[in-house]
Amino acid sequence: MTMQNKPVTSASEPTAFKFEWSMISRHGGVVALIAILLFNILITPNFLHPQTLFVNISQVATIAIVAVGMTLVIATGGIDLSVGAIMALSGALAPLIFTSPFAEANPELGLALSIVVPILVALACGVFNGALVSLLNVQPIVATLIFFISGRGIALVLTNGNLQTFTNPAFSYLGTGKILGFPFQGYLVLIIAACVWWVMAFTVFGRQLLAVGGNERAAELSGVPVKRVKIGAYVICAGLSGLAGLIVVAINSASDAARIGNLMELDAIAAAVVGGTLLQGGRAPIFGAILGAVIIQLVKYTLLANGVADEVALIAKAGIIVLAVYVQQARKE
Amino acid sequence: MQHLIEMSGIKKSFAGVVALQNASLHIEPGEVHAIIGQNGAGKSTLIKILTGVYRRDAGEVKINGNPSTVSTPREAQDAGIATIYQELSLVPLRSVTENVMMGYEPRTRLGTIDWKTAHARTREILERFGIHIDVRAQLGSYSTAIQQLVAIARAVSLNAQLVIMDEATSSLDDQEIEILFGVVRELKKEGVAVLYISHFLDELYQICDRVTIMRDGQTVGQRVIAETTKLGLISEMLGRDPEEIEAAGMTGLGGETTEPGRPLFEAKDISTKRGLKSVSLTLREGEIVGLGGLLGSGRTETARALFGMDTLRSGGIQNHVVGGNIRTPAEAISAGIGFLTEDRKREGIVPHMSVRENMTLALLPKLKKMGRVDRKRETELVERFITSLGIKTSGMEQPIRELSGGNQQKVLLARWLALEPDVLILDEPTRGVDVGAKFEIQSIIREYVDKGLGVVLISSEFEELVEGADRIIVLRDGYSITELENPGITEESLIAAIAHHHDEGARG
Amino acid sequence: DTPALAQKDSYRVGFAQMESNNPWRIAETKSFHDTAESCGWDLIATDAAGSAAKQVADVDSMIAQGIDVLFLPPREEKPLIPAVMKAKAAGIPTFLVDRSVDPNVAQAGEHFVAFLGSDFIEQGERAAEWLIANFPEDKGIIVELEGTTGSSPANDRKKGFDDRILQDDRFEIVASQTGDFARDLGRQVMETLLQAHPDVNVVYAHNDEMAIGAIQALELAGRKPGEDITIVSIDGTRDALQAIIDGKMGVTVESSPFFGPLACDVMKKYAAGEEIPGWVKVEDRVFTLDNAADHIDEAY
Amino acid sequence: MLDTTAFDLRRYIQGNNHSLGVWITLIALIVFGLLRYENFGGSYNISSFLNYNAMFIVIAVGMCFVIMTGGIDLSVGSVAAFTSVVAAYLSPYGIQVALPGAVAAGLAIGAINAFFVVVMRIPPFIATLATMLGAKGGALVISGAQTISIDWSSNFTKLGLEKAFGILPWTIVITALVVFGLWVLLEKTSLGRTVLAIGGGEDASIMMGLNVTRAKVLVYVLSGGCAGMAGLFLASGFGAGQPLEGIGWELSAIASVVVGGTLLTGGMGSITATVAGALLLGLVFNILNFENGRGVISLSAYWQMVIRGAFLFVVIVFQSRVASSAQKGAI
Ligand SMILES: Nc1ncnc2c1ncn2[C@@H]1O[C@H](COP(=O)(O)OP(=O)(O)OP(=O)(O)O)[C@@H](O)[C@H]1O
Ligand SMILES: Nc1ncnc2c1ncn2[C@@H]1O[C@H](COP(=O)(O)OP(=O)(O)OP(=O)(O)O)[C@@H](O)[C@H]1O
Ligand SMILES: [Mg+2]
Ligand SMILES: [Mg+2]
């Protein structure tokens, strides 16, 4: 419909064509998901095997968790490029802590610390990002670019650039544990999504966050603590990234600060947007973000499992992102 | 005679909501034509269809007798239609010159922009409106009124056959309006037609030839203005009996001057970085204090300072309701102060959010129940205000951006009334509001004032100020220069007070 | 006719590392730093963060600072040629380390002194040869985990292995996908490919990190690496040797990062006027169950 | 009454101080380098520094145009990689073919971006993210995942490796011309003004009758063309078509633009300050290399990352302070 449309953004143009589209576009994400599933069932060998579900759940978890945080940041009208670096930082810290002599002496306390401390550090990074954005008025892309560059550097300095490998079954449960046959991370994602959704739908904080994204000045003049709300969004996003970093390390039984969370920011942003988040802010479809993450994961899986060469896969992925967002766009007005 | 513009049978709906169902409009060359109608009647939508911002669902548009091919604002301009849209369509970040000249910049021989000529020409155009400003400065650094004048100047400078002004006078005070009317008369003399949309019926009698009346998306009449009465226009516009309306009176702000109660706050010699020099002002329970003055005299600045948006440089505000000073809007709100901004679009509404969410935005801390929003109380409250303020909406979940300007204003007013504040600062509360709704809004304010609310009222409409305010503080150039007291203020005396001091200032 | 090098106690030496995002590179840089003092080097080490263009710029800034000798592990064969040419033009002898440049344009003894390193193609071939000799079953279904797409070790290790292994018709490569030389990606790719090709019984990884990731994926899926699946890899890291000792991995072909001492040695000889061969070949060992335990302590 | 003086200095500064910070920092850093390191101001260092950074300058000014409309172009790095491969394939025919060829390839990808953004109305961030992946994949496909040799015998390498009139590398001369041309486009043509207006308010620009579609198409195509030019420099100055290059270039370009005081939300921006921003960010690398050469401390690559981030932090904060000290009033 937009093909021959003139450059009018505020106008909505209900035409016959759009009407037919509305069914599909209202649920663009779901339609895309079903299409990919159908394709896989027909083409990909052994797709209906339970192990496939298992593999996909465990792989999607980190993207999904970060995407939820990213959705909140985007809802305030911001963006967070530092998620990958924060993952690396928290991922580097955990083994440093539980392989330290202190933790070896007190295994339980060590284990607890190795989860709590990295997440606290991640939260602190979020405070830094949020403070830059809200107190110093630095533009979010650039504010988070600072940690994007140096966060990973800090992680590498801490570990001297070394790969840290370890055997610690209790810690690895984060990444490899199973409940009722499904990966532990899968449950974690659902719990996090449900909590954040609840916060956004029912709490004052959620409402204020959306107001800040929708019209910051109006929010401020209505007494919304804009700065605090924004910092809150970055802190949550950073905390979730920290958790995702721990999960990656737990699955691999190794922490490679140079690699953890590489390019995660792009996946997370794409997931959020495919899930219906508007980059201008003011909207936070949490389950949409999960859906977006699942779609992105399935695209990856499909291309890999069918032996599509990496370079061609890149092109295919590009096409699918464009298509998925295009279908989403149609429903916007 | 050939019609300049001929629109008939226009239909338009937005995502199922009907905005226009059978609208028509006929404009003759060189006439000044008005459209009136309640908020949401479809006036702006009709002209946006004419200028190609929206596409019509059905109907016919002819320009000079030929079917119109206009499908973008640019094509409308090329077809000789210059428009000042209701929500100012300017680019605040760019300079005044750019905003006036954009798209029609003078060129040098090399084909590049000739900035010198551009600035000079802009200065010249603005001078016609009595504005002498630095044309290189960012437009956004000037007040809404100046921006509105710049928009008008731009439109007028385009050499059109038809200039459309959608509520162009909403931010202007009498003096500017006079200048504008002068320009309109000049245009008329040059054979340029003007389409004039306004909620100020008095204005229509001064300059318009004919008027088109719209109600609920339909054109319900077209009159020669000289042959109508104000009451007749209103009754046609509202679709109600003339007697009924007459009984209600024209402004709703006036009331008995009651004994003012205890003092709410006292501001002494306050000044801010933004240009406030020395303003003193007290407010007591149950009174309306008006701020009078010309554009840029510092009325909005005073409001900002009282609401904690600008930090005080000197002087102090003593708040008698709560102690302590106010540094942020949030603190002001919790101290019982509300502020209805004059810039609805930029500082008021959160466009994507629903009427409900917009209305309760400031109230959220009070609706909090263990971190959660108390949805039951919220819904009740919103329902109550929608009914009591007569807000025209398809439901409380409708996004506020889909409401007409006047209805948005009512939602914002409800945002503050719901807080049950002690002090309410109203900056142009009835701007862009139709006569019916204006009366309602004014009555509501009066009702709250009678119950003890203290109001600081800023209005460019002297009538509103004179009838409504118990006292008027007259401001000039950031100083409060005199105070008038009701009863006894007339529009003439107010104008005299402002002008007297102004003239004195200009000479001195 | 490469620039001569005077015999001095102390040299200003440039080492333009290409990236530091994997243990191998880190070990290599460390090896140069460790050698610096004993060899009398005043070492300027830069890091190009994976960009060939930046590596050229880094070399430029070293030339501007007036180095005596340049050690350069060129990130890519062709893009680093300008760096070699500029160094020569500035009268600085260059030694290429661990990778070489395009021999059609720049030759040892002409544009640079020598290439110190092993042969990536050969590493792939040796991995294939071990597999051919030691694979017990009749049919080898291979999944190949490639390095970073387009990088020269990935291209060469693939070429060497694929060409050699396909000469034996017991073997078939059913899938070959990039794991970007990283453990995490190696694991994810293996998880996925295992679903699509459950009958796979050989994994060839272009480096040990991906091999370890693959082992984790296999174990998570309930497979027994080392028993029903043979793992073949390249590098010789500590984790890989441990995996070999644990019986999870079959072989890893060494690709040593410890170039510092060799570099010092060759440079000294060159300064003394000795003839240096165009390719100072590093002999890579092959680690299997037979010798892994002996070498694990020296691994990085 | 409405008289606010003809020329108000305060307002003038408000409108123009956005790039003050970057110039101050740039000069400070140059002085620091000159005082601290010998050979820092030597002609070899200056010309090789500019030669390397020419790519980033060209990309950054293209990016600046996109950002001024409120958009963003994440694809520039991949596009440069792609066009470097194109240029390498065309190098046997000489610079007269390779230059237009590479730039045309960049323009074409820019046109794809424009199509996504303007016609399909996909948010720029996502549209160009997709092209970034696509162009990278395309570069790998057409190159067969190999670096592509250039023809050393044609005049192609003159561009990147030889000096114009024996003084400055050709790349720098061309870059200067491109920057000047774009500066004229922005400051002196109504198309340039439209670009700024769009960023300041797209709806308003449409209603003012500006040709918003044309301007938006222009900026994406232009940015693609600039990236194409950078790819050409990459191939000729660094000896090959390199499908793997360009990673992270978009972020440094964005950083250059922002450090130069341009608002990411659009509506305001400066070409010259963007160039200064690009030079500033490049200078950090150069200085870190020289610092390592002093041999007092050897900064590991990791410390360099930390320092670069910290430096960006300082510059951004400084810049935002300078800009806001006069700007505050408008918020
Ligand atoms: N973009 C839009 N999307 C949805 N509904 C709209 C849109 N624009 C206008 N409407 C609806 O169309 C109707 C007519 O609105 P319009 O703005 O034309 O009224 P108006 O007569 O100009 O009112 P006012 O005097 O308040 O400016 C209103 O009910 C409004 O809610
Ligand atoms: N948002 C703003 N940014 C910068 N300067 C402003 C802003 N708003 C107003 N000013 C300036 O402050 C001075 C006082 O303007 P103010 O808006 O208080 O006047 P006012 O009497 O309220 O007029 P109005 O009727 O336009 O509201 C004017 O010089 C004006 O240009
Ligand atoms: Mg209207
Ligand atoms: Mg005002």
Side-chain angles (χ1 to χ4, degrees), chain B residues 140-143 145 274 294-301 342 428, chain D residues 329:
Chain B
S141 66
Y142 293 104
S143 66
R274 290 286 282 285
L294 298 173
L295 290 182
S297 56
R299 294 167 299 178
T300 300
E301 310 277 291
E342 64 177 335
E428 312 280 1

Side-chain angles (χ1 to χ4, degrees), chain A residues 185-223:
Chain A
Q185 308 98 290
Y187 295 96
L188 209 53
V189 171
L190 289 183
I191 293 168
I192 288 171
C195 289
V196 176
W197 174 79
W198 183 85
V199 166
M200 292 313 291
F202 293 107
T203 68
V204 171
F205 173 76
R207 189 81 69 78
Q208 291 181 330
L209 194 146
L210 292 177
V212 168
N215 184 344
E216 190 172 328
R217 281 174 69 165
E220 179 153 22
L221 292 188
S222 300

Side-chain angles (χ1 to χ4, degrees), chain A residues 84-103:
Chain A
I86 292 176
M87 284 174 73
L89 190 54
S90 90
L93 280 172
L96 279 181
I97 294 170
F98 64 63
T99 54
S100 66
F102 171 78

